[in-house]
Amino acid sequence: MTHPSWDEAREIAQASISPGEVIELLVTEALGTTAAEDLCALGPVPHATTSAMDGWAVAGPGAWRLDLSEGALATGSARPIVTGGVPPEGADSVLPSELGRVEGDLLHGDAPPPGRHLRPAGEEAALGDVIVPAGSALTPARLAVLAATGHDHVGIRRAPLVHLLVTGDELVGSGLPQPGQVRDVMTPMLPPLLAALGAKTSHHDHVHDEATAVARTARSSDADLLISAGGTGHSSADPIAGAWSSLGAEVRFRGVDVRPGHPVSLAVLPDGRPWLALPGNPLAAALTALSFVPALVAGFTGGALREPAVAVAGAAFEGRAGTTLVPAVHTPDGVVPAGTSRPHMLRGLAEADVVAVVPRAGIAPGGRVDVLPRVW
Ligand SMILES: Nc1nc2c(c(=O)[nH]1)N[C@H]1C(S)=C(S)[C@@H](COP(=O)(O)OP(=O)(O)OC[C@H]3O[C@@H](n4cnc5c(N)ncnc54)[C@H](O)[C@@H]3O)O[C@H]1N2
Ligand code: MOO
């Protein structure tokens, strides 16, 4: 059976989950969610012409007579104004406080050119400008600009809720493992990693290595997405394939042309919820989560799947069959492979700044290399 490429598998994953429902949230509560529609300016910003400086609104050439009334400003007059204040009708410009000198009721200073230190109405946004396009992650700056453009509520899609199933009868949760035992690394790693990738772990179980136990846990789950770790192999101790067949899951891929992590698999349950099965080797699990969880999150939230960034290779990256994912560190010459990065080791990833996405042909020193940015 041929396996999809890394890129194809990302596309399959994105298409294997239905978008979540759209809900309205207060702007102040929408951090980390995704805009469900184009969010437009509800009015011009600034709403009126305003001053960019503390000083005086002036009309005509100086010196100016100070006019503290509320009416229009006649030529030859000046009136105090603060940053953000609306200048009186007739004002040509603003003279900053440090450039003017008041003597009696006269203001002296060089006349600023017309429009100086005045921010025109609508300079930042006109009514109806798209401020945050549909599918954008709502970051602090985007929430702030939505507030500035008049929004109280926004239509969003939330992060998918994940039921995490960690398999492995050999796993122990504390201390140094005895012979035959393995210290569980998925429990400390995966929930925060998934959170950094935009998915929220709502349930987390360590499940017995047996298909019926895994299937029972999955059946009782009401999460949007299931993610398991381990048990993707073909031995009798590997429960994922058995659980999928007993649940009637439709397999979208069983293996991907990627190293490490080629056993990573994806199925969709009869109720439409996807199940991403990460391989048990710890680095393989982390790198396949980095590869495919963003695609599932994009499918659920309606966000775009971000393409890898580009860096310069500071050393050779060896290619193998399919795509090779290589933890790498920044150096003055470019990114170079991190050490200690076998599929069962996490030390290299713990040191890495990026993960290089290396094509079959490999990359020579000085070449461009696609990289996944650090969230681990
Ligand atoms: N005959 C073959 N054997 C294996 C193949 C293969 O193609 N043919 N592929 C190898 C690769 S590559 C991987 S990756 C693993 C995938 O197997 P599973 O997904 O079934 O993973 P497990 O057998 O459950 O575990 C593999 C390894 O990882 C350790 N592990 C599992 N979970 C954890 C955890 N939570 N914390 C720490 N370590 C964990 C587990 O103890 C095993 O040592 O299969 C290879 N074999
Ligand atoms: O998934 Mo395995 O080596 O490819 O760790």
Side-chain angles (χ1 to χ4, degrees), residues 259-263 279 281 284 343:
R259 300 289 182 284
H262 72 273
N281 272 336

Side-chain angles (χ1 to χ4, degrees), residues 166-168 170-171 182-187 209 229-234 238 261-263 278-282 284 343-344:
V166 174
T167 69
E170 72 282 19
L171 302 178
V182 172
R183 176 69 188 264
D184 172 21
V185 301
M186 304 299 177
T187 293
D209 270 342
T232 61
H234 297 259
D238 291 321
H262 72 273
L278 306 173
N281 272 336
H344 56 292

